[in-house]
Amino acid sequence: MAETRTFQLSMSPHVVSALRTRRVMFDVVIALLPALAGAVWLFGLAGALLPVVLSVVTAVTVEYLCLRLMKRPVNAALDGSAVVTGLLLAYNVPPGVPWWLPVLGSGFAIVVAKQAFGGLGHNLVNPALLGRAFLVASFPVLMTSGWSAPFDWSHPGGSGFETHGIPASELASVPGADAISGATPLRVMKDSFGDEDLRRSAAVERALASGGTYLNLFLGRRGGCIGETSVLLLLAGAAYLVVRKVLELRIPLSYLGSVALFGWAFGGPSLLHGDPLFSVLTGGAVLGGFFMATDMVTTPVTPRGRIIFGIGAGILTVVIRRFGGYPEGCSYSILIMNLATPLIDRFTHPRVLGEVRRNA
Amino acid sequence: MARLRTFDGGAHPPERKELAERRAVTRLPAPHILRVALCQHMGAPSTPCVQKGDRVLQGQEIGAQNGFISLPTHSPVAGTVTGVEEYPMPHRRSGPVVVIETESEQGEPPFEPWPDFESRSPAEIIERIRLAGICGMGGASFPAYVKLTPPKGKSIDTLILNGAECEPYLTADHRLMLERTGDVAFGMAVLAHALGVKRCFVGVEANKPDAADALRRAGLDVVELRVKYPQGAEKQLIKATTGREVPVGGLPLDIGVVVQNVGTAAAVAEAVRDGMPSIRRITTVSGEGVRTPGNFDVCVGTLFSDLITAAGGYLEGACRLLAGGPMMGIAQFTDAVPVTKGTSGIVALTAGESRPGSEGPCIRCGKCVDTCPMHLVPCAIATAGEHADWEEADRCGALACIACGTCSFVCPSSRFLVHYIKRSQDAVRAMKRAREA
């Protein structure tokens, strides 16, 4: 008889796929980098890069301290999830904000929204979005006005961005002005709704005039939060995630489809007079739809549940944009749907192979 | 070429078939000492009908069938019984074995050869398959004769031979289809005759085109299947090839289908045509942890360690030894366990190949939901199981899980989903039994 030896015991299966949690998280980080590069191009190093770096460093540091305090394995701070939270929080604040704003928001996101619920995998709502909601509620002026205009590289000294009818190029020439302040397209449109006489087309046109054309919206040459403006660069990142099999498209497509449909139906001054393309290209719809409504932890796991989530968030976005107190409803819509996620999951289990569903 | 058939869900674990697929089957002589398990099949172990000191002939019954879901056990060699004892088993902690000292591998077949099986009635054929101790050779080891005996009122119209072999590393069925095509074809004809079915075919994954060609040349109807795990799971194979769904809690018999492994068909051929009971099988020895992976035709009762020796021994770094493939195989504590009729492979994995020993938190990515071939929500069942909420586990369909391991394979946090779900299944069954009592 041959000599015998002993081995490790373990439960099947004995092999795992290459897609590990850390890879998922760092793929998301990589996918967010083009938008960061775009933000630096548009808003400058101090306007965009500094808040992002501060936010990410804060997120990872605070996560480490929380884990330390709770005597949990601290290497979880480097699993990439805190980096994603820090990035997304910073992408959701306006460029050029005081340095302490992203630090505060990022710390709040990690402590209150994530670690207080038990850390990775246990949080109910998207930490970055709760951090943003906290900042919007606490510092409404800093968070919703004082938008920097994107720097226009083709016309140094001006961006073609208008504020209250004054061309940005003229504003920029005002002695002592070191940044151009402007409203976002959605803010301009919302303000226009206040004027009963304005037709739908006039509202959108005025909004478009403030930020440029659809093409400018697509490229990101408009006012907005640090990471939300360039649809092109966000889509490039999303495409990378699809190729890497990290991103599943049910939520982004149902969300953006829903924003377009309901934006067309109810987003205008009268029924069926909204602009679907404008609805999708402005605000945080693309950033939210591809990178925040798809946060795995806080969204449904079932295929049907994801579609319901996307449609629901789309409806809420349009409702808040049109009737709410803020011009943009993307982040709140996702937060509200996050809370509905356990319920959605519970009632959308797929039909099991061979299961005969009885009529209720 | 026709589109490849498949099912919804599933995953693509690295196949690793290249390690052994080109190695022709080597017939190993019986070792000096054989430990023949009396519980090689699913169901009740057979009752030993020999004792220490008895001389046995090759193919002689050494364990008597013990109930409906049970089978007789036969001696693979002529020799002397040196004891009946409790011994470690690959698929359970331990079980009774008959220890036989080999004297020769010669002998007359114990049953009358029926090369003209068509002159025999289906009942006679099924009785022969029972007496020959044939169980499913794919791994689950369910007594084959039971599957061929539909309850009254059920009619069978389709016989599927399972040559999918979707488990990574394993190539035993591949080599069998290539090298013993005649046995597979003969066995299929016998099974079709026993069931009285006209429609019969072999399902083969598209990564074995040479096997598919060989079967076609032998006149068999081959359905090529997409390479995807678990393509060879019974319910998934049936769905892919016939579109029918086995009802939850039901059997393929309920929808008129019988599935048998290609290895089972070859065993049936030997039992009916040659009169030999099930005493040998082809098994793959593979993994980065063995020197020369290969396919071996061995007596049941040969120890894993003997087979590893035949494959050139372990390489440095071998840390896990599996009975079966890496997706559903059972990790062995020791290699001093005997090959049974269900041992489709022995895989020695190195640390680099095998999953980490720890798990992370569920990040609710939904990959398990997207890939579950039963369309369950594995993460929900596992969470319920972790919280010992058996009502919820049952509501989520825990009992429908086939434990294929796809969910755990794709889980980015390496969660032990199969473990939690199997535990839930046990608890849910216990709960239901208690409720009925």
Side-chain angles (χ1 to χ4, degrees), chain A residues 7 13-14 17 20 297 351 354, chain B residues 245 326 329 333 355 364 411 414:
Chain A
F7 298 88
H14 306 281
S17 68
R20 307 288 85 210
V297 175
R351 187 186 70 90
Chain B
E245 293 185 11
F333 167 67
R355 69 184 284 130
R364 296 175 39 82
C411 178
S414 314

Side-chain angles (χ1 to χ4, degrees), chain B residues 374-389:
Chain B
M374 291 305 293
H375 308 164
L376 293 164
V377 182
C379 56
I381 306 173
T383 304
E386 266 188 294
H387 298 162
D389 185 349

Side-chain angles (χ1 to χ4, degrees), chain A residues 295-315:
Chain A
D295 169 43
M296 291 166 169
V297 175
T298 56
T299 54
V301 295
T302 64
R304 271 191 304 152
R306 290 176 191 155
I307 291 171
I308 293 170
F309 183 97
I311 293 173
I315 293 173

